[in-house]
Amino acid sequence: MTSLTLYEHPLNEQVRIYLRLEYLLDQLDEVSGLSAPCHHIQFFRSLFDLLEILEQVQVKADLAKDLDKLKKKLNAWAHVPQVDQQQLQQLLEQLAEHQRAVLQAKRFGQALREDRFLTSIKQRFSIPGGSCSFDLPIFHHWLHQPLAARQNAINGWLATLSPLRHALAFWLQLTRESAQGGHVEVKQGFYQQDADGACLIRIQVNPDLGVYPLVSGHKNRFAIRFMPFDDDREVADNMPVFISVC
């Protein structure tokens, strides 16, 4: 059986930033334990993309506010009958830990911005091919350090992002678990729906249908146009798609 392809689309700017941060943090995780120079180059590209976002947006303050809003929502569930109070209490304790870690942390990315080696190579990474040995001899030197030394440096850089990584993962997990939805019939490649106060939609499509979604919308309403991947293939008149709203 063909597994469905998942697409996620944010319905506000804050969630858009959170998803981009998650995407870059996942890339860092995937290549951080690999040893080839090309993997290290990808690691630094993702790291500098992440730093660019953290320099432009006050992520720490926004995430702290969103965790506080989440706390209020969870506390409201304490008065709802048949709620698993033990599980709710565990979630509140985890939330409190993430809140403390976020509030106690420096501005996200500050330690990386102050790192002498990272500062010396960051600008060249914005140039196509700028990580060549003649452009960045200091980077070429680092690439030829023992693997243990390189891995130790990478682990140290990633450790400074732990408060962001764990708090963001927690918030996104609970947001995704709040999803409500089901299978819908898409007619002539178009679907729209009201979404009162939503922040994220999740779309699951069978890749055998040969289409991908283009989404537009905001917290109260969204529309999806399904486009054919191949120009010579038409979109089916009726398509089963799974859509959930968070």
Side-chain angles (χ1 to χ4, degrees), residues 205-244:
V205 183
N206 189 327
D208 293 339
L209 294 172
V211 298
Y212 60 92
L214 292 180
V215 183
S216 60
H218 50 78
K219 65 180 181 178
N220 294 321
R221 188 172 181 80
F222 64 87
I224 308 172
R225 172 69 68 181
F226 290 88
M227 305 297 294
F229 181 75
D230 296 318
D231 293 337
D232 58 351
R233 182 170 180 174
E234 294 184 357
V235 177
D237 290 337
N238 293 283
M239 294 187 301
V241 176
F242 190 93
I243 297 176
S244 53

Side-chain angles (χ1 to χ4, degrees), residues 9-22 52-53 56-59 62-63 66 69 168 171-172 197-201 217-220:
H9 189 85
L11 295 177
N12 62 51
E13 186 60 27
Q14 195 57 55
V15 176
R16 185 184 303 275
I17 292 170
Y18 288 169
L19 292 178
R20 285 175 176 162
L21 291 173
E22 180 191 47
E52 192 70 25
I53 296 176
Q56 295 175 2
V57 183
Q58 294 289 340
V59 175
D62 291 337
L63 185 55
D66 285 332
K69 292 177 183 177
L168 180 62
W171 189 90
L172 286 172
C199 65
L200 175 69
I201 58 174
H218 50 78
K219 65 180 181 178
N220 294 321

Side-chain angles (χ1 to χ4, degrees), residues 162-183:
S162 290
L164 168 63
R165 177 195 307 274
H166 296 313
L168 180 62
F170 181 81
W171 189 90
L172 286 172
Q173 176 188 349
L174 292 194
T175 298
R176 287 166 173 142
E177 289 177 355
S178 71
Q180 296 181 350
H183 285 94

